[in-house]
Amino acid sequence: MHIALLCSDLGIALGGVKGASVHLRAVASSLLRMGHKVTAVVASAGPETGFAALAERGLEVRVLRQPRTVREIDWHLSQVHPDLVIERLALLSSEGAVAAAEAGIPHIYEVNAPLDVEAARHRNFDRIDEARLEFARGFAASRGAMAVSEEVAQWVRELAPAGFAVTVESNGAGPEFLAAPEARLVHQIETRLRLGGGEFRIGFIGTFRPWHDIDTLLHAGSELAKNVPTRLLMVGDGPQRNHVLRTAWSGRAAVTLTGAVPHHEIPAHLALCDAVAVPYASDDVYFSPLKLVEAMAASRPVVASATGPVKRVVTDGRDGLLVAPGDRVAFTAALERLAFEPALRGRLGAEARRTVEREYTWDAVIGRVLKFAAALPVRAEGSWRV
């Protein structure tokens, strides 16, 4: 099958470093592994080095001119003749679904967040009514949507026509996280970061932003350091970096900040961690954290805040430890258990890997999405038929 991956968001470069870019490449890589022909139609290609390996495996990349139009997207679709369009939902952008509908090509959305709410909360976006009209227009032209959480799915249902098909699929992990990282690379990183032995290392992977409850993690690390040598290995960067440095300076735990790291080096960084923390301050988190599934795939025991999307993946006590969002005492206690019970770390890590292998590899996730798309009704003359 020939599949077009469409992303009209200028802020998501195919070869970029942010999580959305990693996600886009992961989907393309999975489809290529399955033997499909894949064309990425994107607003921004970004650094070619970021997707060169995919291009070598056959990925075709087409870049949209701006401003994007239905005609522009229709022209690209007419050149590649895809059997299916999978589009990453973007703000103020219904053109892809409309172009696919007019061309008679099946189209589904991939929805990672309630984008109007997110943009208003974090980027002072004030075109809410216009955005919601565009979302409704796109959903009306599309055949269905894949949402990363039930919370996101409910947002889609509120804007889409009655009976619009929505499936929920958490994010996945690629085969590079299931494979053992190269020992030489792990040693190089350990040497570069000047990491010593005898410490209980707690990993954090992600951007330093308000929705990540970094204060709870820093508090837990400081408290744990009273009883056992502890180091927080914080892989990433972001606007709260200075706050992290100030808080870490006043605490007891040693803290190492790596800065932004290429995604292909994340497995090696995970190998340096005894446990991985995924903290959130409240239970209204709606996104499916990539870092959670990737850490589990790498056999790392996780301590995570029990948000809806997290509870969909992790079963407390079986393949991870869950605590109430924002509960510093419980988060500290969970990490302390892992520090003093190596057998528990091993059991949780092994079971976490099995959970990913069974349900949450990218190939498993995308395979279910393709089955969902294949079963969707076909639109004809303003109605739906199977």
Side-chain angles (χ1 to χ4, degrees):
M1 186 160 59
H2 190 167
I3 299 170
L5 293 181
L6 176 59
C7 180
S8 58
D9 189 332
L10 273 169
I12 302 176
L14 178 62
V17 298
K18 63 168 58 176
S21 300
V22 171
H23 186 282
L24 192 61
R25 293 195 299 272
V27 174
S29 182
S30 178
L31 290 169
L32 289 168
R33 276 194 301 273
M34 293 178 185
H36 299 292
K37 186 175 181 181
V38 185
T39 299
V41 183
V42 296
S44 174
E48 189 173 340
T49 53
F51 58 85
L54 293 176
E56 290 176 1
R57 292 166 53 194
L59 178 70
E60 178 186 8
V61 179
R62 291 174 163 266
V63 181
L64 294 168
R65 294 175 297 184
Q66 299 299 318
R68 59 183 177 264
T69 63
V70 171
R71 178 172 293 182
E72 163 82 357
I73 295 173
D74 177 70
W75 182 83
H76 283 285
L77 296 180
S78 72
Q79 298 302 297
V80 299
H81 303 290
D83 302 296
L84 173 67
V85 176
I86 302 176
E87 178 176 5
R88 185 183 179 99
L89 186 70
L91 274 172
L92 302 170
S93 177
S94 62
E95 295 90 353
V98 172
E102 291 181 352
I105 302 169
H107 173 285
I108 62 170
Y109 276 115
E110 172 209 323
V111 190
N112 289 273
L115 296 180
D116 54 340
V117 176
E118 186 176 78
R121 183 180 301 171
H122 301 295
R123 298 194 295 276
N124 298 315
F125 181 74
D126 60 2
R127 299 166 64 186
I128 301 297
D129 291 341
E130 183 182 354
R132 291 176 73 84
L133 285 172
E134 280 293 289
F135 290 139
R137 183 182 182 217
F139 293 143
S142 182
R143 294 190 182 178
M146 182 275 288
V148 295
S149 69
E150 184 55 42
E151 292 81 357
V152 173
Q154 184 55 40
W155 175 81
V156 172
R157 294 184 189 106
E158 291 172 359
L159 293 169
F164 185 71
V166 184
T167 189
V168 176
E169 287 290 345
S170 301
N171 281 325
E176 66 273 22
F177 287 91
L178 293 165
E182 185 181 353
R184 181 179 59 84
L185 177 59
V186 175
H187 178 70
Q188 285 177 349
I189 294 171
E190 188 173 36
T191 302
R192 184 174 72 236
L193 297 177
R194 300 179 181 178
L195 300 178
E199 299 173 321
F200 179 64
R201 294 182 193 154
I202 305 167
F204 171 86
I205 315 289
T207 53
F208 303 161
R209 293 188 178 276
W211 53 82
H212 293 140
D213 190 9
I214 293 174
D215 283 346
T216 285
L217 174 58
L218 293 170
H219 172 83
S222 184
E223 288 297 302
L224 191 57
K226 295 176 182 179
N227 301 315
V228 61
T230 301
R231 178 173 298 275
L232 301 181
L233 180 59
M234 305 189 69
V235 183
D237 209 336
Q240 288 191 307
R241 183 176 188 274
N242 289 340
H243 172 71
V244 171
L245 288 170
R246 287 193 300 269
T247 307
W249 183 260
S250 63
R252 295 181 179 85
V255 179
T256 296
L257 275 64
T258 68
V261 168
H263 191 250
H264 69 269
E265 290 188 6
I266 296 296
H269 284 77
L270 285 170
L272 295 169
C273 301
D274 297 300
V276 172
V278 186
Y280 296 105
S282 65
D283 59 4
D284 64 351
V285 173
Y286 46 75
F287 47 81
S288 173
L290 271 172
K291 58 182 172 288
L292 171 69
V293 185
E294 290 175 346
M296 293 172 69
S299 300
R300 299 301 90 186
V302 297
V303 175
S305 301
T307 65
V310 168
K311 288 188 292 185
R312 183 179 176 87
V313 176
V314 179
T315 300
D316 183 37
R318 189 185 73 184
D319 48 19
L321 297 180
L322 299 182
V323 300
D327 190 333
R328 292 186 173 187
V329 174
F331 211 92
T332 301
L335 285 170
E336 189 169 45
R337 282 189 67 190
L338 294 182
F340 288 101
E341 298 183 42
L344 177 63
R345 295 201 302 268
R347 178 174 65 79
L348 292 176
E351 192 59 43
R353 178 188 175 91
R354 284 192 284 269
T355 295
V356 173
E357 289 176 325
R358 186 172 57 248
E359 296 288 338
Y360 298 109
T361 64
W362 273 120
D363 289 1
V365 171
I366 299 304
R368 290 192 294 267
V369 170
L370 293 181
K371 288 182 180 178
F372 164 76
L376 291 176
V378 177
R379 196 173 203 182
E381 299 179 358
S383 60
W384 297 92
R385 62 178 173 83
V386 176

